[in-house]
């Protein structure tokens, strides 16, 4: 299904971070190769070691830290990615992406990835309703970002079920399950 597909998952500081190992396991069960980039604050919600164990690859956090595996430059993951999945995605990372801010490894990877980008948000409903966040989401959709619909009309900002995320990844890559 996802054989020969490389999925890069960007993890931000949101409480559903603990669900990312399950997302990785489902993607790997579909034969995807998975790499993970975490924001520094996301390490408060899920450990890099658990994501490294789930993905089978080193987890990247700091663009300027000596890498475990040496790469020529800090955008090699973005070049190799068939799809970038940002899950969970905070209001902060949406603001950075919508406004061209690249000040950490994940935001730099978002800016440099040319393939499809799928976003699974987890944002406080009051923050989500703010004009700034709504404007950022609108801009990102116009730029081609695909947002996972959590099927919850009353609380659309909350993290979707894992199966909805996987389904959206497959649809975005035009792969049948």
């Amino acid at each position: 299904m996802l054989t020969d597909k490389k999925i890069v998952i960007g993890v931000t500081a949101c409480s559903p971070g603990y669900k990312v190992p399950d997302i990785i396991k489902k993607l790997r069960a579909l034969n995807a190769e998975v790499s993970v980039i975490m924001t520094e604050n996301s390490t408060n919600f899920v450990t890099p070691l658990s994501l490294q164990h789930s993905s089978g690859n080193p987890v990247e956090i700091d663009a300027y830290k000596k890498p475990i595996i040496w790469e020529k430059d800090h955008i090699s993951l973005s070049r190799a990615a068939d799809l970038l999945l940002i899950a969970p995605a905070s209001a902060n990372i949406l603001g950075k992406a919508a406004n061209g801010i690249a000040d950490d490894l994940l935001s730099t990877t978002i800016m440099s990835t040319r393939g499809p980008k799928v976003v699974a948000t987890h944002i406080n409903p009051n923050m989500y309703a703010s004009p700034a966040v709504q404007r950022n989401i609108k801009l990102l959709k116009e730029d081609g970002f695909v947002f996972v619909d959590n099927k919850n009309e009353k609380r659309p900002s909350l993290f979707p079920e894992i199966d909805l995320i996987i389904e959206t990844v497959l649809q975005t890559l035009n792969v049948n399950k």
Side-chain angles (χ1 to χ4, degrees), residues 73-84:
D73 57 46
H74 65 281
I75 61 169
S76 59
L77 280 177
S78 65
R79 278 198 296 263
D82 290 298
L83 182 136
L84 174 62

Side-chain angles (χ1 to χ4, degrees), residues 93-95 97-99 119 135-147:
I93 202 69
L94 297 183
N99 293 286
V119 179
R135 183 172 48 252
N136 290 337
I137 291 170
K138 181 178 184 253
L139 281 170
L140 291 170
K141 286 180 177 179
E142 289 171 1
D143 287 348
F145 285 64
V146 176
F147 282 74

Side-chain angles (χ1 to χ4, degrees), residues 13-123:
C14 298
S15 55
Y18 74 91
K19 296 181 179 185
V20 177
D22 292 330
I23 295 169
I24 294 169
K25 288 175 189 169
K26 288 203 174 205
L27 290 169
R28 289 189 71 195
L30 295 170
N31 297 316
E33 181 182 343
V34 179
S35 295
V36 179
I37 298 172
M38 300 178 74
T39 63
E40 184 70 37
N41 286 335
S42 72
T43 64
N44 293 305
F45 295 90
V46 61
T47 67
L49 185 59
S50 66
L51 299 182
Q52 179 175 314
H53 177 72
S54 298
S55 69
N57 286 310
V59 172
E60 302 292 338
I61 301 169
D62 186 344
Y64 302 105
K65 186 176 178 180
K66 185 177 178 182
I68 296 169
I69 297 173
W70 187 81
E71 292 287 349
K72 186 166 122 176
D73 57 46
H74 65 281
I75 61 169
S76 59
L77 280 177
S78 65
R79 278 198 296 263
D82 290 298
L83 182 136
L84 174 62
L85 170 63
I86 308 162
S90 64
N92 183 52
I93 202 69
L94 297 183
K96 288 181 180 186
N99 293 286
I101 298 169
D103 64 355
D104 62 14
L105 184 58
L106 179 55
S107 58
T108 300
T109 301
I110 292 169
M111 292 300 123
S112 60
T113 297
R114 295 294 159 240
K117 297 169 197 85
V118 173
V119 179
T121 63
H122 187 76
I123 302 170

